[in-house]
Amino acid sequence: MRLSINWLKDFVPLPVSPQELAEKLTLAGLEIDALETFAPAFAGVIVAQALTVEPHPQADRLKVVVVNDGRQQRRVVCGAPNVQAGGRYAFAPVGAVLADGKPLKAAKIRGILSEGMLLAEDELGLSDDHRGLLELPPQTPVGADLAEVLGLNDIVLEVAVTPNRPDCLSVLGLAREVAALYDLPLHLPKVELVEDPEPVERYAQVIIEDPENCPRYTARMVVDVEVRPSPFWLRRRLQVCGLRAINNLVDVTNYVMLEYGQPLHAFDFQCLREGRIVVRRPLGEETFTTLDGQSRPLVHETLLICDAAQPVAIAGVMGGLDSEVTTATKRVLIESAYFHPPAIRKTAKRLGLTSESAYRFERGVDPEGVIPALNRAAQLMAELGSGRILRGLLDACPRPLRSPRLTLRLSRTNAVLGTTLVKDQVRDILRRLQMPPLAEDEDNLAVQVPSYRGDLIREIDLIEEVARLHGFANIPVTLPRVEMWARRPSKEARLREQVRELLVGMGFAEVITYAFQPERLTAQLFGTTEGPEFVRLANPISEEQAVMRVALLPGLVETMRRNVAHLSRDLKIFELGMVFRPRPGEQLPQETLLLAGLMTGARQTPAWNLAAETPVDYFDLKGVVENLLTGLLVTDVSYQPAAKAFLRHGTAVVAAGHELGFLGELHPETAERCELKQPAWVFELNFAHLAAAAQDSPRFQPLPRYPAVFRDLAIILSAAIPAAQVQDVLFACGRPLLVEAQLFDVYTGPPVPAGERSLAFHLCYRDPDRTLTEEDVNPWHEAIIQGLAKQLGARLRA
């Protein structure tokens, strides 16, 4: 909404600058997007009165005019056809600057010295009109500055009106806001109708057949009007507000719409069959031609304004081409109505047709404001079109709209706003909002909501109004007085996030594959002999999503195949998700949360300071699982051989006697079935078992106070015995003094016999209560050697 400050001053005596007003309105909820300054393109132009008008002795089309500029009389040569003695016009004396930026000089025109210039609108830069001089009203003071007389120095505020405040889509609505904010008197336009004795009911009739979408329709008639250009003041106000002037009658409807916020429409009454207005829905009509010449399709929900035979307008959106006001119009029927906002919004959106009228109707206009706007329009049309207003008006109102009566509690207001307002303050605010209390007691104030404030429907709306006028800046900042607490996530939820953080920290990326998969992915990975039963979809989208997954690895393997095919060969990916297996006799499947990962390609990204590219191997995969379990505080972990047909070097991951999952390299035959072009290393863990084995928090151990004793131990034993089993024997025979046993060397080859290997361990002995000596450690070390020999058949390496 564009608000002219000059226009606003007709309603309220503005006590502040436009810039201060813009800030005040913004803080009150009506944001100002921009301020636009208007200034004339001329300087030194004043008002002059033509005293005499004589023909030019040397030119048929020129006249010699003697003007009074308020200080002296001057002679001017003029060629305008509308100059008359006694008229008042824009006059540029010598030295004045016109719209072209050049100062005016005295000049001889056909032998007569012209001491100035009477001006048309185009010469002033006001419009393109050069049909005649700019005529001014008879009461305009002679010698006054033209820019001040015409109000050309103006500032326009671009107001961003929110959808719940349609009452602010008018000068009057914004003037109410300004009057309330500054506690100023509000001056409404003076409307005095001079009605003709002839009643309007003799010629026109209004019938509403759809009262739900048109609760009220009013009309007045002005006859014997003359269609001509609007006076400059009217055209200027429309111009600064962004509307184009058309003619005096149409311009009045737009002017009143901007002034009151009530859209109006002017019908050429001669085009209305039987003088009848019927508000209805289509009765077989399929299209309608609007004012812009476009044929619009009609549906049953479209609300139409019709005469006795056919539609003449789309209600609330746009008028019809056949009933528009033309230069031949002599009788005008003015429409002022209230339409149901959703009906207008749907019609405008369906037609893709936006207009100033629809913009206001779809948000809701003042149902009690239709008649004041109608009377204002009739008055202006009669004045500017030299017409007569027929007596009375047509007011069809089958469903009167009532605004609510609300009760505002002072205690509730202060509780919501955190203020300590007293009743007198709240009462004063309500008075400024045109809602003086009708009844009140110690805590309650009952008010009648004005008809133009359709946004006020609950007590909390009144509280918001109190906050706006009291000033948001005046409301103290207080912290909420509530008990703040947050529920600690469950252990499973915490572990999920921890798993993600640990794997991402080791260079993995999380992927999400489809829970619906083709059966072939699982068959390719596990083979036909190990293929599990599936949960099959009754109505799958396609064969590629026909079954629910029973494992996460098929999706990861397919992800690897696609990435390698696109030359992305180095992958570290994982997924944490549900798998689904059928349960005999049950309708719903068993859901199990699994964690799976896959590694392939280079161990590290190639760089200039690194050795040749090294592919990942079994120990990289095992290290990932070990680090993951360590980060989750899973203890007593062992890795045992596991025979799985689709894996090579399959290894079961066991913690405290319970199997958590497996890891290993995809068997070459499996990789070939899955169309993989490079080795892949995978792991899969049961998340429920993992959560059960994980500790909630680490156990504290005090830092050692006494030094340790270190020994290295190299033994030869069967190559079939895993290192983890050796470590178990080491701790079984060496505790409590043995606290660490780290494998640091593995050797096969001469002189170690075939079928055997050498394992070298770095042993750490420590006592928490004293410093150990060699004599203290020797018996324990010898017991370890004997235990290895007895239990594993191991011997010391020479």
Side-chain angles (χ1 to χ4, degrees):
M1 171 67 190
R2 292 173 62 85
L3 174 64
S4 163
I5 294 297
N6 288 344
W7 202 347
L8 177 65
K9 289 179 180 178
D10 291 348
F11 290 82
V12 289
L14 194 60
V16 296
S17 68
Q19 291 74 16
E20 293 174 311
L21 175 63
E23 182 178 0
K24 187 79 170 180
L25 288 173
T26 298
L27 293 177
L30 293 168
E31 184 179 358
I32 305 301
D33 288 338
L35 282 81
E36 185 177 355
T37 300
F38 287 84
F42 57 84
V45 180
I46 59 177
V47 178
Q49 181 180 20
L51 300 178
T52 62
V53 179
E54 303 291 340
H56 194 292
Q58 303 296 327
D60 295 337
R61 296 186 178 181
L62 298 179
K63 299 180 180 65
V64 179
V65 183
V66 177
V67 300
N68 173 22
D69 65 2
R71 289 172 296 192
Q72 64 183 81
Q73 296 182 5
R74 301 179 186 274
R75 186 169 59 176
V76 178
V77 177
C78 178
N82 63 328
V83 62
Q84 295 179 356
R88 303 194 180 192
Y89 308 99
F91 173 65
V94 174
V97 179
L98 302 185
D100 59 6
K102 298 178 182 180
L104 186 66
K105 299 179 180 179
K108 278 191 175 184
I109 302 176
R110 297 291 183 93
I112 296 179
L113 182 66
S114 182
E115 301 175 289
M117 184 176 180
L118 294 174
L119 302 169
E121 289 185 18
D122 63 333
E123 294 163 331
L124 292 166
L126 300 177
S127 71
D128 297 330
D129 188 2
H130 193 71
R131 291 174 296 178
L133 299 179
L134 174 61
E135 299 183 16
L136 301 172
Q139 66 273 20
T140 307
V142 175
D145 183 80
L146 182 68
E148 293 183 5
V149 169
L150 298 181
L152 300 181
N153 293 297
D154 197 2
I155 293 179
V156 173
L157 306 184
E158 190 74 41
V159 187
V161 180
T162 53
N164 67 317
R165 291 300 306 273
D167 60 298
C168 291
L169 291 172
S170 65
V171 180
L172 173 58
L174 291 172
R176 288 194 189 103
E177 282 291 301
V178 174
L181 291 172
Y182 291 101
D183 196 10
L184 300 172
L186 181 67
H187 305 294
L188 298 178
K190 188 176 182 179
V191 179
E192 295 181 351
L193 298 182
V194 179
E195 294 183 315
D196 198 76
E198 201 169 11
V200 65
E201 291 86 353
R202 181 179 299 174
Y203 300 96
Q205 179 186 12
V206 173
I207 300 173
I208 298 178
E209 296 183 357
D210 188 355
E212 180 180 353
N213 290 322
C214 180
R216 189 173 195 181
Y217 191 103
T218 65
R220 272 191 179 274
M221 187 182 296
V222 183
V223 298
D224 299 333
V225 294
E226 180 181 345
V227 179
R228 55 192 177 212
S230 297
F232 176 80
W233 65 268
L234 176 55
R235 289 184 281 120
R236 179 66 177 180
R237 286 194 166 174
L238 294 180
Q239 177 190 7
V240 298
C241 291
L243 296 183
R244 178 176 59 91
I246 299 175
N247 59 54
N248 55 346
L249 303 186
V250 175
D251 292 348
V252 163
T253 63
N254 289 331
Y255 181 86
V256 175
M257 177 187 68
L258 294 176
E259 188 174 50
Y260 280 76
Q262 172 65 46
L264 305 169
H265 187 69
F267 293 102
D268 186 338
F269 187 73
Q270 298 170 174
C271 300
L272 299 180
R273 292 172 176 81
E274 300 181 14
R276 188 183 306 171
I277 289 290
V278 181
V279 184
R280 61 172 174 81
R281 297 189 184 187
L283 297 176
E285 298 93 351
E286 297 181 354
T287 60
F288 177 73
T289 303
T290 48
L291 281 171
D292 55 4
Q294 300 293 318
S295 180
R296 309 287 180 177
L298 302 179
V299 298
H300 176 68
E301 291 78 13
T302 306
L303 187 65
L304 298 176
I305 308 300
C306 308
D307 59 15
Q310 63 183 14
V312 293
I314 298 177
V317 179
M318 187 173 287
L321 186 64
D322 295 336
S323 60
E324 68 173 331
V325 172
T326 65
T327 54
T329 299
K330 293 300 180 183
R331 294 189 294 174
V332 176
L333 185 74
I334 310 170
E335 166 197 285
S336 181
Y338 178 90
F339 300 114
H340 190 46
I344 305 304
R345 182 166 57 250
K346 291 177 182 178
T347 298
K349 187 173 183 179
R350 182 169 53 247
L351 297 176
L353 186 61
T354 50
S355 64
E356 292 287 342
S357 295
Y359 187 79
R360 287 163 172 79
F361 275 128
E362 67 188 14
R363 285 161 173 78
V365 299
D366 179 8
E368 298 299 324
V370 294
I371 291 181
L374 178 66
N375 292 337
R376 174 69 165 158
Q379 176 197 32
L380 290 175
M381 284 190 184
E383 291 177 359
L384 303 181
S386 303
R388 295 181 296 112
I389 304 172
L390 296 189
R391 177 168 53 84
L393 57 85
L394 304 174
D395 185 6
C397 187
R399 291 191 180 180
L401 300 176
R402 307 296 183 190
S403 53
R405 176 176 291 188
L406 302 177
T407 299
L408 177 64
R409 292 169 291 171
L410 183 63
S411 58
R412 177 63 176 164
T413 301
N414 285 323
V416 171
L417 301 181
T419 55
T420 56
L421 297 174
V422 298
K423 186 189 294 184
D424 288 343
Q425 292 175 287
V426 176
R427 184 192 299 113
D428 184 63
I429 290 174
L430 295 174
R431 175 191 59 79
R432 288 153 55 187
L433 289 167
Q434 308 296 319
M435 291 184 288
L438 304 177
E440 60 181 273
D441 57 24
E442 184 176 348
D443 190 51
N444 301 296
L445 296 97
V447 298
Q448 178 66 50
V449 176
S451 58
Y452 54 82
R453 290 302 303 269
D455 59 311
L456 304 181
I457 56 177
R458 300 173 300 169
E459 180 188 23
I460 194 66
D461 299 325
L462 294 180
I463 295 175
E464 181 183 357
E465 291 300 294
V466 172
R468 286 196 319 113
L469 266 71
H470 179 62
F472 294 116
N474 297 322
I475 297 177
V477 178
T478 57
L479 296 177
R481 297 179 180 179
V482 294
E483 293 184 4
M484 304 294 289
W485 61 277
R487 186 185 300 275
R488 189 186 183 199
S490 65
K491 179 181 179 181
E492 181 177 330
R494 297 197 306 272
L495 285 178
R496 288 190 187 191
E497 290 305 311
Q498 197 172 357
V499 163
R500 292 185 171 99
E501 291 177 2
L502 289 170
L503 288 174
V504 169
M506 289 185 279
F508 280 71
E510 184 176 8
V511 299
I512 300 176
T513 62
Y514 285 115
F516 299 160
Q517 295 179 345
E519 186 175 345
R520 60 177 176 80
L521 290 184
T522 305
Q524 288 173 352
L525 181 64
F526 298 116
T528 54
T529 57
E530 293 190 26
E533 294 184 10
F534 295 100
V535 177
R536 302 183 183 277
L537 301 185
N539 186 24
I541 299 175
S542 68
E543 287 300 319
E544 292 297 305
Q545 295 181 331
V547 299
M548 301 189 75
R549 65 187 179 190
V550 295
L552 298 180
L553 286 180
L556 294 182
V557 169
E558 176 65 10
T559 300
M560 170 187 164
R561 184 190 70 78
R562 291 177 179 271
N563 277 269
V564 172
H566 288 81
L567 304 182
S568 179
R569 298 188 176 94
D570 304 327
L571 290 179
K572 293 180 181 179
I573 57 178
F574 77 95
E575 181 171 13
L576 181 62
M578 290 290 185
V579 298
F580 310 87
R581 292 180 181 270
R583 292 188 292 183
E586 298 288 340
Q587 184 177 4
L588 297 178
Q590 177 184 353
E591 299 184 25
T592 306
L593 183 62
L594 297 182
L595 170 65
L598 181 147
M599 302 173 66
T600 185
R603 179 177 295 157
Q604 290 179 305
T605 303
W608 64 272
N609 60 341
L610 296 178
E613 184 176 299
T614 304
V616 296
D617 56 21
Y618 174 85
F619 296 103
D620 292 303
L621 177 68
K622 185 169 178 285
V624 167
V625 176
E626 287 178 338
N627 289 337
L628 176 64
L629 297 180
T630 301
L632 297 178
L633 304 179
V634 178
T635 59
D636 195 15
V637 180
S638 63
Y639 299 88
Q640 303 173 5
K644 291 187 178 292
F646 65 95
L647 290 180
R648 186 167 64 175
H649 310 303
T651 302
V653 183
V654 180
H658 295 90
E659 184 173 339
L660 303 182
F662 60 85
L663 59 89
E665 179 191 7
L666 285 185
H667 197 281
E669 294 180 359
T670 302
E672 183 179 358
R673 288 197 305 269
C674 296
E675 301 179 6
L676 302 182
K677 299 180 180 179
Q678 60 190 52
W681 304 86
V682 299
F683 71 85
E684 185 174 87
L685 303 174
N686 186 298
F687 193 82
H689 296 169
L690 188 63
Q695 298 180 17
D696 286 337
S697 57
R699 294 179 181 176
F700 172 76
Q701 291 183 347
L703 295 175
R705 299 176 57 190
Y706 300 98
V709 175
F710 297 96
R711 297 279 182 91
D712 288 341
L713 177 65
I715 58 175
I716 297 175
L717 73 171
S718 172
I721 298 175
Q725 189 175 351
V726 177
Q727 283 185 318
D728 291 341
V729 175
L730 289 174
F731 285 113
C733 298
R735 283 195 176 108
L737 294 187
L738 181 66
V739 293
E740 290 184 19
Q742 184 177 359
L743 177 68
F744 68 88
D745 183 62
V746 178
Y747 176 76
T748 57
V752 177
E756 294 183 324
R757 62 177 177 173
S758 171
L759 301 180
F761 291 89
H762 187 64
L763 307 181
C764 176
Y765 296 93
R766 178 182 287 116
D767 191 311
D769 299 323
R770 63 189 178 93
T771 300
L772 294 176
T773 64
E774 293 293 330
E775 291 74 13
D776 295 328
V777 172
N778 287 337
W780 291 95
H781 194 71
E782 186 62 28
I784 288 175
I785 295 173
Q786 293 177 6
L788 290 173
K790 183 178 180 180
Q791 297 183 36
L792 302 179
R795 63 187 184 276
L796 292 177
R797 179 179 174 182

